[in-house]
């Protein structure tokens, strides 16, 4: 009976491994599927662990039992128990059911059973929350754009946070408020749409630290390219262009539900990018919220426009001490890092070091790419302070990153381009949630750190 199968971690050198299977390979004996691990696994091995085990669960056609404790026993000084737990649980929940479906038949649903010792229950529950938040993210991502409009996105987030109303401050700016505020880049992108834009923020303060991280997410609920229309092959899957916003909202949910001591505000500019007689056009010039004027070179480079206003808002109004953004920003990512790594840009080496370590814990592949003055030179405009794109195809992803940095008021800035990783095989992946979650948990400086009291 396949239903009774059990997944169990086993050491490479265990005598049961008579076929000498390698680390992360599996073999089966008497209804037990053994997943080979080793004592000297490192934190840096977790991205491959997560991918491998996720693929293992994807192939299952029946529910199985998972001996969670056997996996956790491979923790060591470098590889944390909570990292193994989080990656195992998020992978095992990933394929249990489709986050969104309108299929009327053949809907597949599995429910794997986790066997967890009482002493690990707490850690398991925390990991379950992260799996749940990833599921929420993927549902928003997969939902078609005629349903998942900026208005609907806001409603979904409000609904999600209902049980935690006293713990967070959710605010929503509508079109009129964006006009009053002068968020003209968000408004410019919205001009071609029949649906109003929104700027959604979720503020969570649960630490006495003076630090506040801003997690800014690109929320283009559909990217047609606007007047600089995309060809049809490139327009397919542009419902996923709100992935950044879904990722940051979901991360906040996990932090709040798990009662993490941290201070984070998620900022989500939400709009469609459509074309119409009213749409913004190439050569138009728009005054950003920061005050810089921007010549629209290509209306399809809209992500950087809405993010620019949101980044300035995070720096000036919210007074964030570190600003992160997550965006499906540039198609060029597929050439630089394939769909394996998310691109990361950081203004500080120290931040990069910490983000990299955190991404290992989180089982997520990221790779650093550079900011450089050469990349922004082609964005010099004859009529405005800068333009949003150029025909120069060199380092397009870095050019977008450099453009965004201009709007951060010099605050420490970490940018993630998830254009090639946010969705795979036509499904949202909920990437970067685990990394952002862990970073907020680990890297908010406490009052006491400042005075070096050593606690
Ligand atoms: N949303 C796209 C980027 C994208 C492309 C995401 C493919 C996922 C898959 C973005 O708004 C865009 O269109 N970027 C342009 C920028 C160009 C006009 C400078 C691009 O990458 O082609
Ligand atoms: Zn675009
Ligand atoms: Zn876009």
């Amino acid at each position: 009976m396949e239903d009774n199968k059990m997944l169990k971690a086993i050491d490479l050198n265990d005598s049961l491994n008579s076929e000498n299977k390698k680390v992360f390979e599996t073999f089966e004996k008497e209804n037990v599927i053994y997943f080979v691990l080793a004592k000297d696994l490192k934190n840096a091995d977790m991205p491959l662990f997560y991918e491998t085990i996720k693929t293992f669960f994807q192939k299952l056609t029946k529910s199985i039992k998972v001996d969670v404790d056997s996996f956790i026993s491979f923790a060591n000084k470098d590889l944390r128990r909570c990292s193994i737990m989080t990656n195992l649980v998020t992978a095992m929940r990933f394929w249990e059911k489709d986050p969104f479906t309108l299929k009327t038949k053949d809907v597949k649903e599995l429910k794997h059973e986790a066997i967890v010792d009482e002493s690990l229950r707490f850690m398991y529950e925390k990991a379950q929350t992260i799996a749940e938040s990833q599921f929420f993210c993927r549902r928003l991502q997969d939902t078609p754009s005629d349903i998942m409009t900026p208005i609907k996105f806001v409603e979904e987030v409000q609904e999600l946070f209902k049980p935690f109303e006293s713990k967070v401050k959710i605010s929503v700016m509508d079109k009129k408020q964006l006009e009053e505020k002068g968020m003209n880049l968000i408004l410019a992108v919205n001009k071609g749409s029949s649906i109003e834009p929104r700027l959604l923020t979720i503020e969570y303060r649960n630490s006495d630290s003076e630090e506040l991280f801003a997690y800014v997410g690109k929320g283009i609920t559909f990217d047609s390219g606007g007047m600089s229309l995309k060809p049809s092959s490139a327009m397919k899957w542009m419902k996923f262009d709100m992935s950044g916003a879904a990722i940051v909202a979901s991360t906040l949910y996990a932090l709040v539900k798990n009662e993490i001591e941290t201070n984070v505000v998620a900022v989500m500019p939400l709009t469609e990018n459509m074309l119409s007689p009213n749409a913004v056009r190439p050569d138009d010039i728009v005054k950003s919220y920061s005050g810089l004027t921007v010549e629209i070179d290509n209306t399809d480079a809209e992500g950087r426009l809405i993010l620019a206003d949101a980044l300035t808002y995070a720096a000036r109004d919210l007074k964030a001490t570190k600003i992160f953004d997550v965006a499906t920003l540039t198609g060029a990512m597929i050439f630089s890092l394939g769909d394996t790594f998310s691109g990361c840009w950081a203004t500080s080496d120290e931040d990069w070091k910490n983000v990299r370590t955190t991404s290992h814990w989180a089982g997520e592949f990221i790779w650093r790419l550079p900011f450089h003055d050469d990349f922004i030179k082609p964005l010099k405009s004859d009529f405005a302070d800068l333009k949003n794109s150029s025909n120069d195809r060199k380092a397009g992803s870095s050019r977008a990153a450099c453009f965004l940095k201009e709007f951060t008021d010099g605050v420490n800035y970490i940018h993630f381009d998830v254009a090639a990783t946010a969705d795979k095989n036509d499904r949202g992946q909920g990437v970067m949630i685990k990394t952002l979650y862990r970073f907020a948990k680990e890297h908010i400086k406490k009052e006491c750190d400042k005075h070096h009291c050593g606690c």
Side-chain angles (χ1 to χ4, degrees):
M1 279 282 286
E2 227 193 313
D3 281 314
N4 291 327
K5 278 191 186 167
M6 165 90 93
L7 176 69
K8 206 177 156 103
I10 193 165
D11 188 75
L12 186 68
N13 299 317
D14 195 290
S15 58
L16 269 179
N17 183 15
S18 50
E19 292 170 57
N20 290 320
K21 292 286 186 185
K22 298 197 184 70
V23 168
F24 299 165
E25 288 182 344
T26 53
F27 64 92
E28 191 172 333
K29 275 191 180 141
E30 286 162 16
N31 274 337
V32 181
I33 304 168
Y34 292 97
F35 192 89
V36 178
L37 294 180
K39 297 245 154 52
D40 58 355
L41 280 174
K42 292 190 266 312
N43 190 39
D45 296 320
M46 292 319 276
L48 193 56
F49 171 76
Y50 176 63
E51 286 307 325
T52 314
I53 198 125
K54 197 169 129 193
T55 306
F56 169 83
F57 280 103
Q58 182 179 13
K59 290 185 184 142
L60 294 180
T61 52
K62 295 208 167 139
S63 301
I64 60 167
K65 293 196 173 79
V66 180
D67 179 345
V68 174
D69 305 344
S70 68
F71 281 84
I72 304 298
S73 73
F74 283 86
N76 56 46
K77 245 181 101 192
D78 186 52
L79 176 58
R80 306 288 298 271
R81 295 194 307 171
C82 51
S83 169
I84 301 175
M85 182 68 91
T86 304
N87 286 302
L88 176 63
V89 172
T90 50
M92 97 183 233
R93 297 290 171 231
F94 202 95
W95 302 104
E96 285 188 333
K97 63 175 177 184
D98 287 331
F100 173 86
T101 183
L102 288 180
K103 272 186 197 284
T104 55
K105 44 185 185 252
D106 303 330
V107 181
K108 180 182 134 187
E109 209 174 317
L110 302 176
K111 186 87 190 121
H112 306 305
E113 189 190 341
I115 317 285
V116 193
D117 187 77
E118 219 22 68
S119 64
L120 293 172
R121 204 79 216 168
F122 183 76
M123 198 186 283
Y124 170 75
E125 294 301 338
K126 303 274 163 188
Q128 283 274 73
T129 301
I130 299 176
E132 191 196 331
S133 85
Q134 215 179 39
F135 188 83
F136 174 79
C137 177
R138 292 164 55 214
R139 185 167 66 75
L140 297 195
Q141 290 186 280
D142 290 357
T143 304
S145 68
D146 64 329
I147 304 174
M148 196 46 64
T149 63
I151 314 298
K152 176 75 171 172
F153 188 106
V154 170
E155 284 169 7
E156 289 280 356
V157 168
Q158 284 168 333
E159 185 66 29
L160 179 74
F161 281 91
K162 269 243 165 75
F164 307 104
E165 259 167 353
S166 62
K167 302 231 160 84
V168 290
K169 200 176 110 201
I170 296 184
S171 35
V172 189
M173 282 167 76
D174 62 15
K175 185 171 173 178
K176 196 164 146 271
Q177 289 165 309
L178 290 168
E179 281 166 358
E180 282 161 10
K181 196 82 183 151
M183 303 245 183
N184 299 320
L185 289 177
I186 297 176
L187 291 161
V189 173
N190 179 254
K191 273 171 79 179
S193 172
S194 60
I195 304 169
E196 275 205 13
R198 292 287 184 263
L199 183 69
L200 171 65
T201 60
I202 312 166
E203 196 172 334
Y204 174 57
R205 288 184 188 265
N206 192 32
S207 158
D208 59 11
S209 168
E210 280 162 22
E211 280 211 275
L212 173 69
F213 292 168
Y215 287 175
V216 181
K218 172 176 172 180
I220 295 291
T221 58
F222 186 73
D223 184 8
S224 70
M227 298 304 274
S228 313
L229 189 64
K230 283 183 186 296
S232 47
S233 60
M235 207 185 295
K236 181 83 177 138
W237 308 124
M238 278 302 137
K239 66 172 181 182
F240 289 124
D241 217 19
M242 37 54 79
S243 297
I247 290 164
V248 298
S250 307
T251 304
L252 266 274
Y253 175 74
L255 289 168
V256 173
K257 185 163 181 198
N258 281 351
E259 300 181 332
I260 303 303
E261 253 183 66
T262 188
N263 299 325
V264 185
V265 55
V267 184
M268 293 144 282
L270 300 158
T271 175
E272 297 182 319
N273 184 26
M274 299 299 271
L275 58 173
S276 90
N278 302 320
V280 71
R281 301 142 208 213
D283 299 335
D284 287 358
I285 294 172
V286 183
K287 195 178 184 80
S288 69
Y289 179 52
S290 81
L292 290 173
T293 51
V294 180
E295 176 193 328
I296 310 297
D297 174 80
N298 187 320
T299 66
D300 197 11
E302 85 298 337
R304 63 195 77 180
L305 297 176
I306 63 165
L307 287 169
D309 276 353
L311 290 169
T312 306
Y313 181 70
R316 284 191 197 161
D317 294 61
L318 304 170
K319 310 230 173 333
T321 54
K322 245 188 241 313
I323 304 180
F324 297 71
D325 72 35
V326 190
T328 46
L329 202 63
T330 61
M333 283 313 297
I334 196 80
F335 301 111
S336 51
L337 301 177
D339 59 7
T340 305
F341 294 84
S342 299
C344 178
W345 287 254
T347 54
S348 135
D349 291 344
E350 169 90 15
D351 283 342
W352 162 245
K353 212 177 109 228
N354 290 332
V355 168
R356 184 181 50 183
T357 308
T358 306
S359 73
H360 289 161
W361 178 95
E364 301 192 290
F365 285 112
I366 64 170
W367 201 262
R368 190 182 189 183
L369 291 166
F371 290 113
H372 194 287
D373 283 348
D374 281 357
F375 303 147
I376 201 162
K377 278 183 194 142
L379 298 184
K380 251 177 71 83
S381 156
D382 287 340
F383 303 102
D385 294 326
L386 70 174
K387 52 185 187 179
N388 74 333
S389 72
S390 85
N391 287 331
D392 189 339
R393 295 177 65 227
K394 289 182 244 166
S397 303
S398 279
R399 179 155 27 266
C402 291
F403 176 91
L404 290 173
K405 185 162 71 70
E406 296 300 303
F407 297 87
T408 54
D409 279 2
V411 177
N412 275 25
Y413 175 48
I414 298 109
H415 162 64
F416 293 105
D417 194 331
V418 295
T421 50
D423 53 284
K424 265 184 206 166
N425 303 320
D426 316 331
R427 283 162 194 272
Q429 299 293 311
V431 292
M432 297 316 298
I433 294 172
K434 289 181 287 173
T435 300
L436 291 169
Y437 171 89
R438 180 71 177 181
F439 198 90
K441 181 169 188 286
E442 294 285 290
H443 292 288
I444 281 275
K445 280 200 203 70
K446 303 272 159 54
E447 264 315 288
C448 53
D449 295 341
K450 250 185 2 201
H451 308 299
H452 303 289
C453 65
C455 62

